[in-house]
Amino acid sequence: MNKSTLVLYTRSRCSLCDKAKKIILELQEEWDFILEEIDIDTSDELTEKYGIMIPVVEIDGEEIQFGQIDHLTISEAFSEKSKSF
């Protein structure tokens, strides 16, 4: 089974992003996935796309949650993904 990739879109000085990253790091202890963190400020396109939504969590290209990130929603998404293999 291939590892899922979780992408966290964030920017500096973003307290919600810091909270989201903490939750994701905790989730990494339960689920085996690759974490990729992308600072939207490095791309005008990403800033335009996600500007007011960050943090945004995407798993294998599918947007799962944005803004207020919570443990349960992300965990449920991984649970669903593991069933589909």
Side-chain angles (χ1 to χ4, degrees):
M1 181 164 63
N2 290 339
K3 269 190 186 185
S4 288
T5 300
L6 184 148
V7 179
L8 174 62
Y9 292 97
T10 130
R11 65 171 19 140
S12 58
R13 297 179 307 283
C14 165
S15 61
L16 284 177
C17 299
D18 295 340
K19 286 180 187 164
K21 185 168 183 186
K22 187 172 185 260
I23 289 167
I24 289 164
L25 290 173
E26 288 169 6
L27 281 161
Q28 235 176 354
E29 294 171 17
E30 292 173 48
W31 301 95
D32 190 21
F33 61 87
I34 298 161
L35 171 60
E36 197 177 313
E37 195 172 344
I38 298 176
D39 183 340
I40 66 165
D41 290 333
T42 61
S43 159
D44 290 343
E45 190 182 321
L46 290 175
T47 301
E48 198 172 302
K49 185 175 180 182
Y50 295 122
I52 58 171
M53 293 169 59
I54 59 157
V56 176
V57 172
E58 197 179 85
I59 299 174
D60 296 334
E62 183 185 343
E63 210 171 275
I64 302 298
Q65 200 173 29
F66 65 89
Q68 295 283 346
I69 306 302
D70 69 86
H71 192 280
L72 185 63
T73 302
I74 307 295
S75 193
E76 284 175 350
F78 276 118
S79 182
E80 284 302 310
K81 288 219 169 281
S82 67
K83 286 180 198 162
S84 65
F85 281 107

